[in-house]
Amino acid sequence: MEHVPPPAEELALLDRELAQLDARRAQLLTRRAWLVSALQPQAPNAARWSTPPVGHGWAPGQPWGSAPRAAKPSGPPRSAQNVLLTLGGLLLTVAAVAFTLVSWGSMGIGGRSAVLALVTLAALAAPVVLLRRKLAATAEALAALALVLTLLDAYAVHAVAAPDADGLTFTAVASAVLAALWAAYGLALGKLHLPLPAAVFFVQWPLLLGAWAAGAPAIVVGWALLATAVVDGAIALWGKGPGVRVTAGIGLAVMGSAALLTGLGESLTADGPLGAVLPGALLLTAGVAALAGAWRAPNGYAQLGGVVAGLAAVAAVGGVLRAAVPGTWHVPVYLLCGLALLSVVRAPLPRSAGRGVLAAAGAVVAGALLWAVPPVAAVLLGPVELVAEVWAGAPDGFRGALGESMRWSETAAAPVVLAVVAGLLGAAYRWWPSLVRVAAPLGTPGAAARGAAGAGALALGWGTLLLAAATLGVPYPVAVALETALVAGLLLVAVRGAEQGTGASADGTGSAAGGRSAVAVTALVAAVGGAVSVGLLSLAAEAATYAVFGALVVLFAGAALRTRAVVEQAVCAVAAVVWGAVLTGCAARSLELAPHEAAPLLLVVPAVTVLLGARLRLHPVALPVELTGALGALVAVGLAVPDAPFLALVLALCGVLAAGAAVRPERRPAAGYVAAVLFVAATWVRLAASEVSAPEAYTLPVTVPALVVGVLRRRKDPEASSWTAYGPGLAATLLPSLAVAWTDPDWLRPLLLGVAALVITLLGAKYRLQALLLLGGAVLALDTLHELAPYVVQVAGALPRWLPPALAGLLLLAVGATYEQRLRDARKLKDLLGRMR
């Protein structure tokens, strides 16, 4: 037989083996490092290496047995050199600033300017000499100092030569001069990295500051920003070095965005079409420039340029047209301009730029939908207010049921926006092959895109009809009928789409199946949402409530019977159960029943779900339907809580339903226990409602026959669980008696209960019956705790405050010290209980 060591000994063995594996792994890694070092090319004067013995103790990269030689550094590290040069340049810069502004008190600004000019010339000339001596880092530091000195020179010139000049004008001129100076300097000394980016930085300001100094209008400032952005774009495309291109790219992003925002702001605030022409020209020019840059830019930047060009074109043309139409129709105007960008599929543009223009069209459409969708949400969620006033009477119209907070006159164009987009998406879904052929130069959209188009068309078309009805203010009955008909249509689409998707997947045509599946899922979700909305809307009138929820039950039940897809079938079946439960609640309200009186009536739907579950058996839809019915039963129990007799009745009826479900073998493990708990709970509640002080008189007549039945069951089936045979009978008496004993000031009942629990515990231990052992032991422990509680409290009050924490600490130390033994004991106890019946 194989010897199995105890867990502690086996753990020690495993730790030793793991340590040996770690040591062996370290040895192999060291050997590998030495081999890699030995295979590297040797220097001419390097010592020859010899193969070391297998083992450990050698140093990789050196001859065996010799001491490692420290390599002599050839010079100061580059990082240290850069730090020293940076600090030196910074100190010189601070000194120059202090000299120019505050130092040499007796020397005037003119004298200081002359000295500063000489120092600047020296700083500009020094990098030339340093570069010849191949001291590039030092030259770069002095170039940075020279850059700061040129700025100080500009300040000195303004203070000496032109003190009366306008600050903005002088700054614009100085920026242009410095840009030209540093551009020439950078081109002359091509090895320096700082001058050319500095020139690009100075290029940003002349036009902007010049327009600002001249007091030009905003549109002129926008042109200045655009011209600067164009220059930045040219530098970013053809500039020399990454520093120049990055600086120009940042300038392009900042100045270009500012120019576009300026043009857009002027376009949106224009008084008429003529006033929007100049901002439109600015935006259109910006779009042309962005498209021209996208023609030569890399793929990612080209696509971004296409997006900017498309949006700028929409803002330019849409701004002129917007000024000619009322405010309600501004968004449709921009939407039509955005849709016009779709013609780019026929334009001879680069692939990335064309995709960017299409993305701009998509962004415009998305913005229009963001404006048009919130009113649809208001239509769907508006009837929530009717929950507080159920059956208060039919409102005057659809708008009356949705509340008066919505300004319907401002959303008159929203249905048009939704209809246009829905029509385009529907056309794309319908003629998808032709669309793929047309869009082939810019890319081939996949099947998922077709599914998204179809789903979007369906959802937006549904929203269009709802919003149009609310905008037109149709009568209340027409609105209810329209929403119900839309739910029926959506369910029809969902059922047909699910069937076609299943068939397509079986045939192997994955592309078609993907589109139809997306449409079917969207239709199902919209149908459920629409059903909730129309159900809330129908709460205004009693007749409408019964008509709508009755129709919903029929529609969803029919869809569940018609479709073959499991998910759609389950969703429809669950929804039908929910609408049926609402109908029973409405019936209770019509009968003017109190909530606790309506609770038994609400159990009609759970009873139907139990019968359906027995009919469906192992069908995947059976479990969701039964769980939904169980939730309805839980609602009934909650309604009956205020009245104890009705609560006992509802619990008993729920127990009957659970027992009926437990007849089926697949539901017996869960439903059987639930039924037992419900019956026992119903008994307790009934006894409490009757103010019974001696529950044993009622529970013992139930316990004795139940235990007899359990004994007979165990004789017939010795493998039957003790919980099934004896658990319900023992719990029927022990638990109510325990509850009464905890409030009984007398000693007789706790004593008798303790003796009975002790006997049951001993029987369970003797015959190895888990139910008797655990139930009896738990009741005995709780009964004993109740009897000893006053003395425990009295002793705890007499003990010092520090003693309980000290005892708890000692207990934890003891448990920790014998943790392994306690763990083995717990496992043995678990195994022992597991072997009991």
Side-chain angles (χ1 to χ4, degrees):
M1 297 178 65
E2 184 180 357
H3 172 66
V4 179
E9 182 179 350
E10 185 178 1
L11 180 62
L13 291 173
L14 290 177
D15 289 340
R16 285 196 294 270
E17 291 181 6
L18 290 174
Q20 293 175 1
L21 288 175
D22 291 339
R24 179 59 177 165
R25 184 175 185 272
Q27 179 182 352
L28 293 176
L29 288 175
T30 306
R31 174 66 177 174
R32 180 185 181 277
W34 183 88
L35 291 174
V36 171
S37 174
L39 291 175
Q40 292 178 352
Q42 300 292 320
N45 57 350
R48 302 288 296 175
W49 54 268
S50 59
T51 305
V54 177
H56 45 84
W58 69 86
Q62 68 178 54
W64 180 252
S66 63
R69 298 179 181 179
K72 294 182 179 180
S74 59
R78 297 288 296 178
S79 58
Q81 182 184 14
N82 292 335
V83 170
L84 292 176
L85 291 174
T86 303
L87 289 177
L90 182 61
L91 291 176
L92 288 175
T93 302
V94 173
V97 173
F99 164 74
T100 305
L101 298 179
V102 296
S103 296
W104 278 11
S106 60
M107 183 180 289
I109 185 66
R112 281 181 282 176
S113 300
V115 175
L116 192 61
L118 293 176
V119 175
T120 303
L121 291 175
L124 289 173
V128 179
V129 179
L130 293 173
L131 286 176
R132 290 177 182 174
R133 296 179 178 272
K134 298 183 179 181
L135 299 175
T138 307
E140 202 76 50
L142 288 178
L145 174 62
L147 175 61
V148 177
L149 290 174
T150 54
L151 293 175
L152 295 176
D153 287 333
Y155 167 76
V157 170
H158 180 264
V160 174
D164 298 329
D166 180 64
L168 287 175
T169 304
F170 182 84
T171 304
V173 175
S175 299
V177 173
L178 289 174
L181 171 65
W182 282 100
Y185 189 75
L187 292 175
L189 301 178
K191 294 182 179 180
L192 293 179
H193 300 289
L194 181 63
L196 290 179
V200 175
F201 172 77
F202 288 124
V203 165
Q204 311 302 314
W205 309 110
L207 293 178
L208 175 62
L209 295 180
W212 195 359
I219 191 66
V220 176
V221 175
W223 281 104
L225 291 169
L226 178 59
T228 305
V230 171
V231 174
D232 288 331
I235 296 173
L237 287 175
W238 293 293
K240 183 180 180 181
V244 174
R245 294 187 176 184
V246 170
T247 306
I250 295 174
L252 171 63
V254 175
M255 296 298 178
S257 300
L260 291 172
L261 291 176
T262 302
L264 181 61
E266 291 295 309
S267 177
L268 293 177
T269 56
D271 295 332
L274 293 178
V277 171
L278 288 179
L282 173 63
L283 292 170
L284 203 57
T285 304
V288 172
L291 196 59
W295 211 288
R296 297 183 59 89
N299 290 336
Y301 295 103
Q303 190 164 350
L304 180 60
V307 172
V308 173
L311 293 178
V314 170
V317 179
V320 176
L321 298 177
R322 177 202 64 85
V325 298
T328 307
W329 298 93
H330 288 173
V331 175
V333 166
Y334 284 108
L335 175 62
L336 293 178
C337 294
L339 293 177
L341 295 178
L342 297 177
S343 60
V344 73
V345 296
R346 293 290 189 180
L349 290 177
R351 187 186 186 96
S352 297
R355 286 183 175 182
V357 176
L358 288 180
V364 174
V365 173
L369 291 179
L370 286 177
W371 174 80
V373 166
V376 178
V379 172
L380 291 173
L381 300 178
V384 174
E385 299 178 356
L386 298 176
V387 176
E389 299 178 357
V390 178
W391 297 349
D396 296 334
F398 195 9
R399 294 183 184 178
L402 301 177
E404 301 298 332
S405 59
M406 193 69 184
R407 297 181 181 179
W408 297 105
S409 60
E410 299 179 0
T411 61
V416 177
V417 171
L418 295 176
V420 170
V421 179
L424 287 176
L425 292 177
Y429 179 76
R430 175 64 179 82
W431 291 286
W432 187 256
S434 301
L435 177 64
V436 170
R437 286 194 299 270
V438 172
L442 300 181
T444 303
R450 184 190 184 190
L458 180 66
L460 294 178
W462 170 56
T464 299
L465 294 176
L466 290 178
L467 189 56
T471 304
L472 296 175
V474 299
Y476 175 75
V478 175
V480 173
L482 174 64
E483 288 205 42
T484 307
L486 287 177
V487 172
L490 290 170
L491 285 176
L492 180 61
V493 173
V495 170
R496 289 186 175 180
E499 291 178 353
Q500 292 173 356
T502 303
S505 62
D507 298 337
T509 57
S511 60
R516 286 189 289 266
S517 176
V519 173
V521 171
T522 304
L524 184 61
V525 173
V528 175
V532 174
S533 178
V534 72
L536 294 173
L537 183 65
S538 68
L539 296 179
E542 183 176 5
T545 302
Y546 281 107
V548 167
F549 281 103
L552 291 178
V553 171
V554 173
L555 289 174
F556 279 89
L561 294 174
R562 182 69 178 81
T563 185
R564 300 178 189 175
V566 175
V567 175
E568 285 81 355
Q569 197 173 43
V571 172
C572 292
V574 168
V577 172
V578 173
W579 311 141
V582 175
L583 268 180
T584 57
C586 293
R589 182 178 177 85
S590 297
L591 296 174
E592 298 182 355
L593 299 177
H596 63 274
E597 295 174 340
L601 183 60
L602 293 180
L603 295 178
V604 173
V605 173
V608 174
T609 60
V610 171
L611 295 176
L612 284 175
R615 178 69 177 84
L616 296 173
R617 288 191 174 275
L618 298 179
H619 196 282
V621 179
L623 182 60
V625 169
E626 291 181 85
L627 290 178
T628 307
L631 290 177
L634 187 61
V635 173
V637 171
L639 292 175
V641 166
D643 190 276
F646 269 92
L647 178 59
L649 174 62
V650 171
L651 289 173
L653 293 176
C654 291
V656 172
L657 296 178
V663 172
R664 298 155 51 198
E666 67 274 11
R667 297 286 184 263
R668 188 170 300 155
Y673 291 115
V674 173
V677 171
L678 288 172
F679 281 132
V680 173
T683 304
W684 296 347
V685 173
R686 181 67 261 181
L687 294 177
S690 302
E691 298 181 356
V692 173
S693 59
E696 293 81 5
Y698 299 90
T699 58
L700 283 176
V702 176
T703 296
V704 173
L707 292 178
V708 171
V709 172
V711 171
L712 296 176
R713 169 71 186 277
R714 289 274 296 177
R715 287 182 179 178
K716 183 178 180 181
D717 183 12
E719 298 298 325
S721 172
S722 60
W723 289 101
T724 305
Y726 307 120
L730 292 175
T733 295
L734 290 178
L735 297 182
S737 298
L738 179 63
V740 177
W742 268 74
T743 58
D744 191 353
D746 201 0
W747 59 272
L748 182 58
R749 176 179 278 108
L751 176 61
L752 296 176
L753 179 61
V755 171
L758 178 61
V759 172
I760 293 172
T761 304
L762 294 176
L763 290 175
K766 180 179 179 180
Y767 294 104
R768 306 176 64 83
L769 298 175
Q770 191 181 99
L772 277 67
L773 181 62
L774 294 182
L775 272 177
V779 172
L780 179 60
L782 292 174
D783 187 62
T784 305
L785 178 62
H786 171 263
E787 293 302 308
L788 295 179
Y791 303 101
V792 173
V793 173
Q794 183 178 0
V795 172
L799 292 175
R801 296 293 180 90
W802 56 267
L803 189 57
L807 294 175
L810 291 175
L811 177 62
L812 291 177
L813 288 176
V815 172
T818 59
Y819 175 75
E820 294 292 339
Q821 183 62 36
R822 301 286 78 78
L823 188 61
R824 287 195 293 270
D825 294 342
R827 288 172 179 169
K828 290 179 180 178
L829 180 60
K830 177 184 176 182
D831 295 339
L832 180 62
L833 289 175
R835 289 193 295 268
M836 289 184 176
R837 284 292 174 184

